[in-house]
């Protein structure tokens, strides 16, 4: 019925030349003027890049294709509204706290034009639903686990082997021979390639992959516009806010650079100021490159999964045959919940049955990680209220303070063999779970890239935001860390 109405409306418009609205794009006669010369190839350059595939060469083509496209565009608008609810809080230049700018501004503008309730919708977007809280909790557990094992695989177990403290589990036979990264506390050189660098790169890549190049892209660019998972708001929030934010960590990165600058914890190499400076530079650049690579791969997947967006030959039948999957909407949260339950159970089993203290640290970290993730989400409501992403900055700032204090505390307590069973694992678990999930690199990098792309080439906002964040967090980290390790009894 919607298609018939649109076709009838178009026929009337050819006679009276009123403004014609495409269902999801909300275009009026200013942006889509129905004149014959508009449909010529040379006059299509002024159309928005994301809308250009919908331009037609002849009026007859528009009438023929509008019937099939109206259903797709209506479905697409519903998807954009769903993805906008997963967006944490967007600034005026499009940065979000591990959220998705995809469709967020567009869906909001459509809502404002339709019912004038944009303010109420913005306020509702900042309220976490029970499903979103569950998703944040579950995916933050996944992110923390991935970060822990990634750090072990690329260099953590190599240093444990050098210290004579092996973690005798399934990963050890392979990982203890891989010495790519270093913690800065042993005689092994290479602290500029810090332990969490691979995790930050992977998380930034995922964030880029989940972030579209255009505002009308779906929340999951690798899937079709009408795929049921495009409407899973909890899944979107979980992946972008919890998984990417907990997999990447600004606080642990900063704490290792502070530890290397101070030098107290490394009796072999002492202070490594130059290596720490390069650690900041390499950490930022590697994450930015990973984010851009993720967006490039997302564009390839988007073109492959949604070729009809770039090709005007789409029929209603080609759209409808995918709708029978809608009943699968409940699978994602149920599967994730079951897998996370099994994962934590295995960690507890490794601690209790096999007596591996490292797994005690992991299951405590998994239980405390949601505290940091939800706190970061709450702080993200400050984004957009200032001239820079204040919410993300404060999340990283507080995370760095907490991580620096806990790192110093664990170094002091490590000399007491009587606390190795519970106290030190608990301290490291809070640092890994709460502080690591409170801070984020994926959002930080995404905001830097967004600022660069949405401002002139000579603009210095991104430079000041990125450099200022690292300098301030480094300075406050030294203020917290150094007095504890140098003057504590």
């Amino acid at each position: 019925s919607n298609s018939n109405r649109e076709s009838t409306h178009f026929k009337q418009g050819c006679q009276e030349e009123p403004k014609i609205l495409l269902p999801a794009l909300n275009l009026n006669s200013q942006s889509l003027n129905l004149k014959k010369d508009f449909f010529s190839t040379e006059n299509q350059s002024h159309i928005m890049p994301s809308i250009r595939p919908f331009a037609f060469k002849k009026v007859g083509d528009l009438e023929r294709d509008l019937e099939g496209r109206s259903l797709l565009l209506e479905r697409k608008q519903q998807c954009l509204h769903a993805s906008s609810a997963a967006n944490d809080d967007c600034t005026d230049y499009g940065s979000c706290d591990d959220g998705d700018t995809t469709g967020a501004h567009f869906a909001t503008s459509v809502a404002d034009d339709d019912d004038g309730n944009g303010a109420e919708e913005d306020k509702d977007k900042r309220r976490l639903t029970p499903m979103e809280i569950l998703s944040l909790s579950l995916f933050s557990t996944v992110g923390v686990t991935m970060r822990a094992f990634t750090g072990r695989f690329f260099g953590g177990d190599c240093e444990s082997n050098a210290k004579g403290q092996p973690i005798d589990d399934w990963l050890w036979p392979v990982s203890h021979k891989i010495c790519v990264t270093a913690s800065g506390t042993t005689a092994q050189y290479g602290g500029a390639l810090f332990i969490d660098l691979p995790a930050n790169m992977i998380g930034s890549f995922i964030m880029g992959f989940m972030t579209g190049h255009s505002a009308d892209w779906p929340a999951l660019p690798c899937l079709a516009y009408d795929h049921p998972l495009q409407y899973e708001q909890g899944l979107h929030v979980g992946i972008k806010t919890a998984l990417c934010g907990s997999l990447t960590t600004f606080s642990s990165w900063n704490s290792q650079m502070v530890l290397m600058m101070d030098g107290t914890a490394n009796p072999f190499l002492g202070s490594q100021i130059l290596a720490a400076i390069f650690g900041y530079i390499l950490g930022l650049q590697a994450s930015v490159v990973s984010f851009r690579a993720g967006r490039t791969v997302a564009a390839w997947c988007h073109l492959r999964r949604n070729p009809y967006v770039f090709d005007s030959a789409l029929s209603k039948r080609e759209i409808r045959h995918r709708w029978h999957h809608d009943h699968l909407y409940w699978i994602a949260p149920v599967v994730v919940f079951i897998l996370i339950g099994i994962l934590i159970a295995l960690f507890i089993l490794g601690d209790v049955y096999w007596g591996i203290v490292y797994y005690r640290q992991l299951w405590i970290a998994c239980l405390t990680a949601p505290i940091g993730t939800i706190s970061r989400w709450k702080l993200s409501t400050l984004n957009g209220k200032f001239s820079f992403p204040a919410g993300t900055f404060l999340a990283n700032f507080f995370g760095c303070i907490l991580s620096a204090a806990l790192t110093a505390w664990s170094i002091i307590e490590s000399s007491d063999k009587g606390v190795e069973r519970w106290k030190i694992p608990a301290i490291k678990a809070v640092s890994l779970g709460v502080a690591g999930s409170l801070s984020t690199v994926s959002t930080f990098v995404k905001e830097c890239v967004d600022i660069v792309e949405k401002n002139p080439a000579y603009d210095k906002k991104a430079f000041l935001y990125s450099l200022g964040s690292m300098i301030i967090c480094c300075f406050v980290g030294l203020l917290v860390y150094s007095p504890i390790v140098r003057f504590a009894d």
Side-chain angles (χ1 to χ4, degrees):
S1 60
N2 290 336
S3 301
N4 294 334
R5 286 198 299 269
E6 292 296 339
S7 180
T8 303
H9 180 68
F10 173 82
K11 293 177 181 178
Q12 295 175 354
C14 291
Q15 301 173 358
E16 304 176 4
E17 292 192 359
K19 66 178 183 178
I20 297 178
L21 303 180
L22 290 180
L25 299 180
N26 200 21
L27 301 178
N28 54 30
S29 59
Q30 295 178 353
S31 57
L32 185 59
N33 187 10
L34 293 180
K35 294 181 180 179
K36 292 183 179 180
D37 59 345
F38 170 83
F39 297 98
S40 61
T41 304
E42 58 269 22
N43 288 334
Q44 292 181 11
S45 59
H46 70 283
I47 308 176
M48 295 169 54
S50 58
I51 311 304
R52 195 171 297 144
F54 297 95
F56 301 89
K57 294 183 179 180
K58 296 185 296 183
V59 175
D61 293 337
L62 178 58
E63 182 179 7
R64 183 179 66 253
D65 291 343
L66 187 58
E67 181 178 3
R69 286 185 173 278
S70 61
L71 192 57
L72 169 66
L73 295 174
E74 181 179 358
R75 187 78 166 175
K76 179 178 168 185
Q77 182 178 358
Q78 297 173 1
C79 172
L80 294 177
H81 278 289
S83 65
S84 67
N87 179 27
D88 294 324
D89 188 75
C90 292
T91 63
D92 53 352
Y93 44 77
S95 62
C96 306
D97 178 53
D98 290 336
D100 181 29
T101 57
T102 304
H105 299 293
F106 175 75
T108 303
S109 63
V110 172
D112 292 344
D113 293 337
D114 289 344
D115 52 21
N117 294 327
E120 288 76 5
E121 290 192 4
D122 289 341
K123 185 176 180 180
D124 291 339
K125 284 196 300 182
R126 294 185 175 92
R127 297 173 182 171
L128 284 173
T129 64
M131 180 57 69
E132 289 173 342
I133 294 176
L134 178 63
S135 297
L136 289 175
S137 302
L138 294 178
F139 280 96
S140 61
T141 300
V142 177
V144 166
T145 302
M146 291 177 61
R147 173 155 48 92
F149 281 103
T150 301
R152 281 188 54 192
F153 182 81
F154 285 98
D157 281 355
C158 178
E159 292 201 344
S160 298
N161 186 43
K163 294 178 180 179
Q165 301 173 350
I167 303 174
D168 191 12
D169 63 355
W170 58 274
L171 186 62
W172 176 262
V174 177
S175 60
H176 79 280
K177 299 178 181 179
I178 301 176
C179 305
V180 177
T181 59
S183 65
T185 59
T186 64
Q188 179 182 347
Y189 290 92
L193 300 178
F194 52 95
I195 289 291
D196 289 316
L197 176 61
N200 286 351
M201 294 176 64
I202 295 172
S204 298
F205 178 88
I206 297 175
M207 173 61 76
F209 184 79
M210 300 295 294
T211 304
H213 286 269
S214 175
D216 63 341
W217 279 29
L220 302 175
C222 58
L223 300 177
Y225 270 114
D226 58 350
H227 194 281
L229 292 181
Q230 301 287 7
Y231 309 96
E232 290 295 322
Q233 301 177 16
L235 179 65
H236 305 162
V237 172
I239 294 177
K240 298 163 189 174
T241 302
L243 177 62
C244 294
S246 298
L247 176 55
T248 63
T249 173
F250 193 97
S251 59
S252 297
W253 169 24
N254 183 76
S255 293
Q256 181 171 332
M257 298 302 103
V258 167
L259 181 149
M260 292 168 60
M261 286 184 174
D262 180 83
T264 305
N266 192 332
F268 306 99
L269 302 178
S271 180
Q272 306 172 66
I273 296 178
L274 186 60
I277 293 175
F278 271 88
Y280 280 116
I281 297 173
L282 293 175
L284 177 62
Q285 296 302 319
S287 299
V288 169
V289 171
S290 299
F291 176 81
R292 291 186 180 276
R295 286 211 306 189
T296 301
V297 174
W300 295 340
C301 295
H302 182 51
L303 177 61
R304 183 176 179 85
R305 295 296 299 167
N306 301 285
Y308 45 84
V309 176
F310 308 94
D311 184 3
S312 60
L314 177 68
S315 67
K316 186 186 301 183
R317 180 177 300 177
E318 290 174 317
I319 302 172
R320 281 182 169 175
H321 85 278
R322 292 187 293 268
W323 288 13
H324 67 279
H325 297 293
D326 287 353
H327 66 282
L328 301 178
Y329 70 94
W330 52 269
I331 288 183
V334 172
V335 170
V336 173
F337 182 81
I338 294 175
L339 292 178
I340 296 304
I342 295 174
L343 185 66
I344 296 179
L346 289 175
F347 291 159
I348 296 176
L349 184 64
D351 174 24
V352 177
Y353 184 77
W354 286 294
I356 302 176
V357 179
Y358 176 77
Y359 285 103
R360 180 174 302 167
Q361 174 183 333
L362 280 184
W363 68 259
I364 296 175
C366 289
L367 294 179
T368 57
I371 299 174
T373 301
I374 295 176
S375 299
R376 171 163 45 85
W377 192 92
K378 289 295 184 181
L379 287 172
S380 72
T381 58
L382 297 176
N383 289 342
K385 296 183 179 180
F386 300 91
S387 59
F388 70 102
T392 304
F393 172 78
L394 289 177
N396 288 337
F397 181 80
F398 292 133
C400 288
I401 293 177
L402 180 60
S403 178
L406 292 172
T407 301
W409 189 11
S410 66
I411 292 175
I412 294 174
E413 296 292 346
S414 62
S415 59
D416 186 357
K417 301 298 182 181
V419 299
E420 286 187 357
R421 297 296 300 176
W422 275 103
K423 195 170 185 179
I424 291 181
I427 295 173
K428 292 182 177 180
V430 175
S431 179
L432 175 66
V434 179
S437 298
L438 175 59
S439 63
T440 176
V441 171
S442 58
T443 301
F444 175 67
V445 166
K446 179 181 181 297
E447 290 166 346
C448 292
V449 172
D450 285 341
I451 296 173
V452 169
E453 293 180 348
K454 297 180 183 298
N455 288 280
Y458 55 81
D459 191 89
K460 56 182 181 296
K461 290 180 180 178
F463 177 79
L464 293 177
Y465 174 56
S466 59
L467 184 64
S469 296
M470 291 188 293
I471 291 178
I472 292 174
C473 289
C474 176
F475 181 72
V476 73
L478 285 170
L479 288 179
V480 173
Y481 173 87
S482 295
I484 296 177
V485 296
R486 290 177 179 269
F487 305 112
D489 294 332

Coordinates of all heavy atoms in Angstrom, one line a residue, residues 96-124:
C96 N 31.5 9.6 18.9 CA 30.6 8.9 19.9 C 31.4 8.1 20.8 O 32.5 7.7 20.5 CB 29.6 8.0 19.1 SG 28.6 8.9 17.9
D97 N 30.9 7.8 21.9 CA 31.6 6.9 22.9 C 31.4 5.5 22.5 O 30.4 4.9 22.8 CB 31.1 7.2 24.3 CG 31.8 6.2 25.3 OD1 33.0 6.2 25.3 OD2 31.1 5.5 26.0
D98 N 32.3 5.0 21.7 CA 32.2 3.6 21.2 C 30.9 3.3 20.6 O 30.4 2.2 20.6 CB 32.5 2.6 22.3 CG 34.0 2.7 22.7 OD1 34.8 3.1 21.9 OD2 34.3 2.3 23.9
G99 N 30.2 4.3 20.1 CA 28.9 4.2 19.5 C 29.1 4.3 18.0 O 30.1 4.3 17.5
D100 N 27.9 4.4 17.4 CA 27.9 4.3 15.9 C 27.4 5.6 15.4 O 26.2 6.0 15.7 CB 27.1 3.2 15.5 CG 27.1 3.1 14.0 OD1 28.1 3.5 13.3 OD2 26.1 2.6 13.4
T101 N 28.2 6.4 14.7 CA 27.6 7.6 14.0 C 26.8 7.2 12.8 O 26.1 8.0 12.3 CB 28.8 8.5 13.5 OG1 29.6 7.7 12.6 CG2 29.6 9.0 14.6
T102 N 26.8 5.9 12.5 CA 26.1 5.5 11.3 C 24.6 5.7 11.5 O 23.9 5.0 12.3 CB 26.3 4.0 11.0 OG1 27.7 3.8 10.9 CG2 25.6 3.5 9.8
G103 N 24.0 6.6 10.8 CA 22.6 6.8 10.9 C 22.1 7.6 12.1 O 21.0 7.9 12.2
A104 N 23.0 8.0 13.0 CA 22.6 8.6 14.2 C 22.1 10.0 14.0 O 21.0 10.3 14.4 CB 23.8 8.6 15.2
H105 N 22.9 10.8 13.3 CA 22.5 12.2 13.0 C 21.3 12.2 12.1 O 20.4 13.0 12.2 CB 23.6 13.0 12.5 CG 24.8 13.1 13.4 ND1 24.7 13.8 14.6 CD2 26.0 12.5 13.3 CE1 25.9 13.7 15.2 NE2 26.7 12.9 14.4
F106 N 21.3 11.3 11.1 CA 20.3 11.3 10.1 C 18.9 10.9 10.7 O 17.9 11.5 10.5 CB 20.6 10.3 9.0 CG 19.5 10.2 8.0 CD1 19.2 11.1 7.0 CD2 18.8 9.0 7.9 CE1 18.2 11.0 6.1 CE2 17.8 8.8 7.0 CZ 17.5 9.8 6.1
A107 N 19.0 9.8 11.5 CA 17.7 9.4 12.1 C 17.2 10.4 13.1 O 16.0 10.6 13.2 CB 18.0 8.1 12.9
T108 N 18.1 11.1 13.8 CA 17.6 12.1 14.7 C 17.0 13.3 14.0 O 16.0 13.8 14.4 CB 18.8 12.6 15.6 OG1 19.4 11.5 16.2 CG2 18.4 13.7 16.6
S109 N 17.6 13.7 12.9 CA 17.0 14.8 12.1 C 15.7 14.4 11.5 O 14.8 15.3 11.5 CB 18.0 15.2 11.0 OG 18.1 14.1 10.1
V110 N 15.5 13.2 11.1 CA 14.2 12.8 10.6 C 13.2 12.8 11.7 O 12.0 13.3 11.5 CB 14.3 11.4 10.0 CG1 12.9 10.8 9.7 CG2 15.2 11.4 8.8
A111 N 13.5 12.3 12.9 CA 12.6 12.4 14.0 C 12.2 13.8 14.4 O 11.1 14.1 14.7 CB 13.2 11.6 15.2
D112 N 13.2 14.7 14.4 CA 12.9 16.1 14.7 C 11.9 16.7 13.7 O 11.0 17.4 14.1 CB 14.2 16.9 14.7 CG 15.1 16.5 15.9 OD1 14.6 15.8 16.8 OD2 16.3 16.9 15.8
D113 N 12.1 16.3 12.4 CA 11.2 16.9 11.4 C 9.8 16.3 11.5 O 8.9 16.9 11.1 CB 11.8 16.6 10.0 CG 13.1 17.4 9.8 OD1 13.3 18.4 10.5 OD2 13.9 17.0 8.9
D114 N 9.7 15.0 11.9 CA 8.5 14.3 11.9 C 7.6 14.8 13.0 O 6.4 15.1 12.9 CB 8.7 12.8 11.9 CG 9.2 12.3 10.6 OD1 9.1 13.1 9.6 OD2 9.7 11.2 10.6
D115 N 8.1 14.8 14.3 CA 7.2 15.0 15.4 C 7.7 16.0 16.4 O 7.1 16.3 17.4 CB 7.0 13.7 16.2 CG 8.3 13.0 16.5 OD1 9.3 13.7 16.5 OD2 8.3 11.8 16.8
G116 N 8.9 16.6 16.1 CA 9.3 17.7 17.0 C 9.8 17.2 18.4 O 9.9 18.0 19.3
N117 N 10.0 15.9 18.5 CA 10.3 15.4 19.8 C 11.8 15.0 19.9 O 12.2 14.0 20.6 CB 9.5 14.1 20.1 CG 8.0 14.5 20.3 OD1 7.7 15.6 20.8 ND2 7.1 13.6 19.9
G118 N 12.6 15.7 19.2 CA 14.1 15.4 19.2 C 14.7 15.5 20.5 O 15.5 14.6 20.9
A119 N 14.3 16.5 21.3 CA 14.9 16.6 22.7 C 14.5 15.4 23.6 O 15.4 14.9 24.3 CB 14.4 17.9 23.3
E120 N 13.3 15.0 23.5 CA 12.9 13.9 24.3 C 13.6 12.6 23.8 O 14.0 11.8 24.7 CB 11.4 13.6 24.2 CG 10.5 14.7 24.9 CD 10.5 16.0 24.2 OE1 11.0 16.1 23.0 OE2 9.9 17.0 24.7
E121 N 13.8 12.4 22.5 CA 14.5 11.2 22.0 C 16.0 11.3 22.5 O 16.5 10.2 22.8 CB 14.4 11.1 20.5 CG 13.0 10.8 20.1 CD 12.9 10.5 18.6 OE1 14.0 10.4 18.0 OE2 11.8 10.2 18.1
D122 N 16.6 12.4 22.4 CA 18.0 12.5 22.8 C 18.1 12.2 24.3 O 19.1 11.5 24.7 CB 18.5 13.9 22.6 CG 18.7 14.2 21.1 OD1 18.8 13.2 20.3 OD2 18.8 15.4 20.7
K123 N 17.1 12.6 25.1 CA 17.2 12.3 26.5 C 17.0 10.8 26.7 O 17.7 10.2 27.6 CB 16.1 13.1 27.2 CG 16.1 12.9 28.8 CD 15.1 13.8 29.4 CE 15.1 13.6 30.9 NZ 14.1 14.5 31.6
D124 N 16.1 10.2 26.0 CA 15.9 8.7 26.1 C 17.1 7.9 25.7 O 17.3 6.9 26.2 CB 14.6 8.3 25.3 CG 13.3 8.9 25.9 OD1 13.4 9.2 27.1 OD2 12.4 9.0 25.1

